Amino acid sequence: MADQKILTVQDISCVGQCSLTVALPIISACGIETCILPSAVLSTHTGGFTGYTFRDLTDDIDGIVSHWVKEGITFDAIYTGYLGSKRQIELVKDMFNRVAADQCLKIVDPAMADHGKLYYGFDEAFAKEMGSLCGVADIVLPNITEAAMMTGMPYVEKNYDEAYIRALMDSVLALGAKTVVLTGVSYREGELGAAVLSRGDKEISYYFHERLAKNCHGTGDIFASAFVGAAVKGRSALEAARIAADFTLAGMKATQDDEAHWYGTKFEKALPMLVNELNH
């Protein structure tokens, strides 16, 4: 396989182990050239810190992409994470048309909501626009909240059954995506996992692992980045989900006993595991 080049579009939170400070090292560790387009720069992430700085880079995006077009730069995969506005979503859709190489793999993590609520600053109109971006993606990586909000389905926090998960995933595929990897799925106490469904599949495929008592910041970005690396290396969506889930879990286990490390996940400790998994 020829060397491939990924573009990832999301914000930079300078401290906090999320977004681009997670995507760049993880995908690079997978042996893939990783290029970035920052949508904003923050001093820290917003989950627990106060008084953080924020600089919106929306006005810089078109100029950056236009320069790439002039230079003939294209990408074999484009992976989007947190996008701060409907305008940024529009610019990403335009980017898909302008700098995607032939057979470019487009992966969207609609990072906008969790636990039944949209992130600060987002509304239903934003969720609908994010659904339109997912509609032009090859693979989308929503959690249950995001899938429900993009499709207008009711959000069920727990005690759901497989029929609900299937209906939710079918609704995401109906937006236009080719494959949906739904995260945060659990049917039994003490387990957590991902569900994978592609157009034409008769049944959902699952990968489950143990559920830790303590959550960590940034795990969605860590999972998505590892998934992208594995997918671009040629792994199936289910296999990429397994690799990403195991990697994320290992980082969480390395963080559990460190009370001072409340702001992120020590994914760096698990990078050797990921590298070994993708090179054997």
Side-chain angles (χ1 to χ4, degrees), residues 46-164:
T46 61
F49 291 105
T50 59
Y52 49 83
T53 67
F54 176 87
R55 183 173 295 276
D56 187 345
L57 299 180
T58 301
D59 291 342
D60 296 290
I61 292 175
D62 185 65
I64 292 169
V65 175
S66 294
H67 182 228
W68 290 340
V69 171
K70 180 181 177 182
E71 295 293 330
I73 296 170
T74 59
F75 302 96
D76 302 295
I78 300 175
Y79 152 48
T80 70
Y82 181 93
L83 301 172
S85 66
K86 290 193 292 181
R87 174 63 180 150
Q88 288 190 352
I89 293 173
E90 292 168 0
L91 287 167
V92 166
K93 285 191 282 189
D94 179 62
M95 192 184 308
F96 281 172
N97 295 322
R98 298 176 70 192
V99 294
D102 292 341
Q103 307 302 313
C104 176
L105 182 65
K106 303 176 183 72
I107 302 177
V108 173
D109 176 11
M112 63 177 183
D114 205 357
H115 304 297
K117 296 181 179 180
L118 287 162
Y119 295 159
Y120 176 79
F122 294 156
D123 56 18
E124 290 183 6
F126 180 87
K128 184 176 181 180
E129 190 70 20
M130 183 61 78
S132 73
L133 179 61
C134 288
V136 295
D138 295 300
I139 304 173
V140 296
L141 307 171
N143 59 37
I144 292 174
T145 300
E146 291 158 348
M149 290 187 170
M150 288 191 299
T151 61
M153 283 193 62
Y155 168 70
V156 179
E157 184 172 5
K158 56 185 178 179
N159 298 326
Y160 47 74
D161 57 14
E162 187 168 14
Y164 171 75

Side-chain angles (χ1 to χ4, degrees), residues 123-230:
D123 56 18
E124 290 183 6
F126 180 87
K128 184 176 181 180
E129 190 70 20
M130 183 61 78
S132 73
L133 179 61
C134 288
V136 295
D138 295 300
I139 304 173
V140 296
L141 307 171
N143 59 37
I144 292 174
T145 300
E146 291 158 348
M149 290 187 170
M150 288 191 299
T151 61
M153 283 193 62
Y155 168 70
V156 179
E157 184 172 5
K158 56 185 178 179
N159 298 326
Y160 47 74
D161 57 14
E162 187 168 14
Y164 171 75
I165 294 299
R166 179 62 192 248
L168 198 57
M169 298 178 79
D170 282 339
S171 295
V172 175
L173 293 176
L175 296 173
K178 297 177 182 177
T179 297
V180 56
V181 179
L182 188 68
T183 60
V185 177
S186 177
Y187 296 123
R188 288 180 290 274
E189 193 74 25
E191 74 170 13
L192 193 65
V196 179
L197 187 69
S198 298
R199 292 186 200 173
D201 287 351
K202 292 183 178 180
E203 296 182 353
I204 300 171
S205 298
Y206 293 97
Y207 179 71
F208 291 108
H209 56 76
E210 66 179 297
R211 184 173 198 157
L212 300 181
K214 182 180 175 183
N215 291 325
C216 298
H217 282 290
T219 53
D221 295 340
I222 292 167
F223 175 90
S225 299
F227 178 94
V228 169

